[in-house]
Amino acid sequence: MDFDAIVVGSGISGGWAAKEFSEKGMKTLVIERGHHVEHQEDYVGEGLGP
């Protein structure tokens, strides 16, 4: 497979870079070594008030 950009790490900077590349029409691959995170399951404080 061919990609225009490869982003290593999906933290704040990597995620933003991937967003910018893909919005410009670039075929982008993000590589992350951490575990897959599920919203509403893996965030302990999600949905709780302040």
Side-chain angles (χ1 to χ4, degrees):
M1 298 180 86
D2 293 328
F3 296 96
D4 299 312
I6 299 174
V7 178
V8 179
S10 63
I12 187 91
S13 297
W16 190 266
K19 170 195 146 334
E20 292 291 312
F21 291 143
S22 63
E23 285 180 350
K24 288 176 176 40
M26 298 174 74
K27 188 173 177 183
T28 306
L29 172 69
V30 178
I31 299 173
E32 175 60 53
R33 75 174 184 158
H35 70 280
H36 181 74
V37 176
E38 289 290 336
H39 293 286
Q40 298 180 340
E41 288 182 23
D42 294 326
Y43 294 118
V44 178
E46 183 177 10
L48 300 178

